């Protein structure tokens, strides 16, 4: 299955087209009358689509026909390792380490990175099993569509697009901050202040817009070319990171580690939830599975190997930063470049800034690849117009999908500050990773028409107990309850819920690469992700709820009817 190739359309049509039929080819949108009829059938259609699950064959073969042209299989495990390094290193460590060390964790930011790294590594295991067996461009969207159904996949699709837009915008803003700090000791030097706009949205950043346009333009030109550029740049970045760590510890003062917990343990977890952004990017690399030559071998090596090393590097870099200067003196926008200036190494400031710019540039490049492929698979499923699923016949890249993400993220980057963007991004990312762990458990323990009904009921009970107890732990922590009784009760519920799953018979064995210690590792991933979500605070939760409400409205007005039409047309054609 992993080696099956997508089937391109035999109909020769111009790629550069934008008719109404290309955007809304479904029956429900042909006329105003047909749309009104579709809306009147919203309830039965929702009932029909709510829990319908896709199949691996649909994701690997059927949906790829929508793109008309295939993506090029041109990547190896070596490419994936460096794509992971280029995407992850720079997407957070140079961006928000200073912000969280200064505002939330202090020197204990190293523990925040260790906690987030462990949680990310658990998610990497889950992603790797899915990506090796369902090597498609859709990543988590496709995995959840196969295991948890159409509606959950749509909510995730909305959060994926939100993550893509906010993540790219945040990187664009950070690139601008570091570049400005090289010119003048003011990270907002190149921004335009507009007093009439609310705080957090009143510093316009035209340079961030330019950076996004250039990076996405390169990504559109070809996957292998982007991978090659990332590899060369990442070698340079790796050398500078070694310099930062070595010279950071040479100029380190242990006195700067006191107090180690200036904001308490709560601050460590608040920071861990936000610095999780530093580990995002590996999911973008998982999206490259459709363009990988041997997914069953290359993906496990590329993802697990690279993320293990990156976790160690992050902890060392965070520790070096907080030992060079007191956490209260860390610059929240361009921490690593400014800290070398503070200790008298002015020349190193420029070296670190260049490395940070490079890191953020490669993160933008790889992010552009992954985000566009997410968008492509979502469009293939008709949850957004299938126009954005089209693959360019020469470049083998989804040009329209890339343009969609580029233009919207550029608008967001122009207005929104980094602190606003980071909390929104972290919530979406953690939410998706939690669902991936749930989907992996479903994949192992439930196979339609195979799993006995009694086993399904037992599995669902255990799963709900595990999720409920995980939410309970997070709720207790955020209510400032520190008594042992509540945590013990919630912990025991989580343990026995997971133990109950462990005694059930697994219905599917991974064919290629499997997560070890199932159900314990996925269950641990669930509790850690939910705990970190709770640590983000009420504002991030409210933003997530508002965004999800908008997504549901769109689904009921557009996405539901498009996917319903496609599903039933496919049934008639079978």
């Amino acid at each position: 299955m992993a080696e099956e190739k997508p089937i391109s359309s035999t109909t020769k049509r111009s790629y550069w087209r934008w008719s109404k039929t290309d955007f809304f080819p479904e029956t429900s949108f042909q006329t105003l009358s047909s749309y009104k009829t579709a809306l009147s059938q919203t309830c039965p259609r929702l009932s029909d689509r709510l829990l319908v699950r896709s199949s691996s064959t649909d994701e690997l073969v059927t949906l790829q026909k929508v793109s008309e042209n295939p993506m090029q299989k041109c990547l190896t495990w070596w490419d994936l390792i460096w794509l992971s390094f280029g995407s992850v290193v720079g997407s957070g460590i140079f961006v928000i380490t200073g912000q969280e060390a200064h505002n939330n964790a202090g020197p204990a930011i190293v523990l925040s990175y260790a906690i987030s790294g462990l949680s990310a590594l658990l998610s990497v295991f889950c992603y790797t099993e899915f990506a090796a067996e369902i090597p498609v461009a859709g990543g988590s969207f496709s995995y959840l569509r196969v295991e948890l159904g159409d509606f959950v996949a749509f909510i995730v699709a909305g959060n994926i697009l939100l993550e893509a837009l906010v993540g790219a915008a945040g990187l664009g803003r950070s690139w601008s901050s570091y570049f400005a700090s090289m010119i003048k000791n003011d990270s907002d030097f190149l921004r335009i202040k507009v007093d009439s706009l609310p705080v957090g949205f009143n510093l316009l950043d035209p340079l961030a817009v330019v950076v996004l346009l250039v990076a996405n333009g390169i990504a559109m030109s070809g996957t292998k070319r982007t991978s090659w550029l990332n590899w060369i740049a990442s070698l340079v970045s790796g050398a500078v990171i070694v310099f930062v760590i070595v010279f950071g510890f040479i100029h380190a003062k242990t006195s700067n580690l006191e107090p180690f917990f200036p904001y308490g343990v709560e601050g460590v977890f608040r920071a861990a939830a936000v610095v999780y952004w530093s580990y995002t990017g590996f999911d973008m690399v998982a999206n490259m599975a459709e363009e990988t030559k041997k997914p069953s071998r290359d993906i496990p090596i590329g993802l697990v190997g690279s993320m293990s090393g990156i976790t160690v590097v992050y902890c060392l870099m965070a520790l070096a930063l907080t030992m060079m200067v007191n956490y209260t003196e860390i610059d929240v926008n361009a921490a690593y470049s400014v800290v070398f200036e503070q200790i008298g190494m002015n020349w190193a400031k420029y070296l670190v800034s260049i490395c940070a710019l490079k890191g953020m540039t490669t993160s933008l490049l790889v992010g552009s690849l992954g985000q566009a492929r997410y968008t492509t698979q979502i469009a293939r499923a008709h949850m957004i117009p299938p126009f954005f699923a089209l693959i360019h016949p020469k470049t083998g890249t989804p040009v329209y999908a890339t343009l969609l993400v580029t233009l919207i993220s550029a608008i967001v980057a122009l207005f929104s500050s980094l602190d606003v963007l980071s909390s929104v991004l972290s919530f979406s990312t953690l939410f998706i990773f939690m669902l991936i762990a749930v989907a992996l458990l479903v994949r192992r323990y439930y196979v339609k028409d195979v799993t006995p009904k009694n086993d399904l009921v037992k599995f669902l009970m255990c799963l709900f107990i595990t999720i409920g107890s995980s939410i309970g732990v997070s709720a207790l922590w955020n209510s400032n309850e520190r008594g042992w009784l509540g945590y013990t009760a919630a912990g025991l519920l989580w343990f026995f819920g997971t133990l109950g799953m462990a005694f059930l018979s697994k219905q599917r064995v991974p064919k290629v690469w499997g997560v070890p210690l199932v159900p314990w590792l996925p269950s641990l991933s669930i509790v850690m992700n939910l705990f970190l979500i709770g640590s983000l605070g009420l504002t991030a939760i409210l933003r997530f709820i508002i965004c999800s409400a908008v997504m549901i409205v769109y689904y009921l007005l557009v996405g539901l009817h498009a996917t319903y039409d496609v599903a039933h047309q496919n049934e008639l054609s079978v």
Side-chain angles (χ1 to χ4, degrees), residues 116-373:
S116 290
L118 174 60
S119 182
L121 196 56
L122 293 174
S123 296
V124 167
F125 282 135
C126 298
Y127 264 88
T128 301
E129 178 171 329
F130 275 115
E133 297 208 355
I134 313 176
V136 293
S140 53
F141 167 73
S142 292
Y143 312 150
L144 295 174
R145 195 162 180 256
V146 168
E147 299 301 336
L148 299 185
D150 217 51
F151 181 73
V152 172
F154 173 81
I155 296 299
V156 167
N159 278 279
I160 286 169
L161 293 177
L162 178 64
E163 179 187 19
L165 300 174
V166 172
L171 279 171
R173 297 282 295 199
S174 299
W175 201 101
S176 173
S177 291
Y178 262 85
F179 188 75
S181 71
M182 292 175 64
I183 301 173
K184 185 179 180 180
N185 194 20
D186 178 9
S187 55
D188 292 328
F189 172 60
L190 297 174
R191 293 179 178 136
I192 303 169
K193 188 173 183 180
V194 180
D195 294 327
S196 59
L197 294 175
V199 176
F201 303 92
N202 61 339
L203 289 175
L204 305 187
D205 198 336
L207 179 59
V209 174
V210 173
V211 170
L212 286 169
L213 294 176
V214 172
N216 283 274
I218 295 172
M220 282 188 288
S221 68
T223 301
K224 190 63 178 180
R225 179 180 302 164
T226 306
S227 174
W228 184 81
L229 289 173
N230 168 76
W231 175 57
I232 297 299
S234 294
L235 286 175
V236 177
S237 180
V240 178
I241 286 172
V242 171
F243 165 83
V244 170
I245 294 172
V246 171
F247 278 82
F249 284 117
I250 289 175
H251 292 83
K253 296 179 181 178
T254 55
S255 59
N256 287 327
L257 295 178
E258 299 176 357
F260 193 71
F261 294 100
Y263 300 98
V265 178
E266 293 88 348
V268 174
F269 284 109
R270 280 198 303 271
V274 176
V275 302
Y276 203 100
W277 184 5
S278 303
Y279 292 97
T280 59
F282 71 82
D283 53 327
M284 297 299 173
V285 178
N287 289 2
M288 310 307 296
E290 192 172 316
E291 294 157 274
T292 302
K293 292 180 178 179
K294 294 183 178 180
S296 60
R297 178 199 66 185
D298 297 339
I299 292 173
I301 296 174
L303 281 181
V304 178
S306 60
M307 287 302 296
S308 300
I310 287 169
T311 301
V312 175
V313 168
Y314 275 2
C315 290
L316 291 174
M317 289 185 71
L319 184 60
L321 175 67
T322 53
M323 290 184 73
M324 278 193 287
V325 65
N326 189 276
Y327 75 94
T328 59
E329 300 174 7
I330 294 175
D331 185 278
V332 297
N333 288 304
Y336 284 92
S337 62
V338 174
V339 74
F340 275 99
E341 184 179 25
Q342 290 172 317
I343 65 173
M345 297 178 65
N346 291 335
W347 60 272
K349 164 189 172 181
Y350 297 100
L351 181 64
V352 174
S353 292
I354 291 172
C355 178
L357 289 175
K358 194 277 343 154
M360 286 178 274
T361 302
T362 54
S363 292
L364 281 169
L365 286 173
V366 183
S368 298
L369 294 175
Q371 291 152 5
R373 280 141 188 83

Side-chain angles (χ1 to χ4, degrees), residues 372-388:
R373 280 141 188 83
Y374 263 136
T375 306
T376 298
Q377 193 74 2
I378 294 168
R380 285 170 172 173
H382 288 243
M383 288 187 177
I384 61 175
F387 171 81
F388 297 107

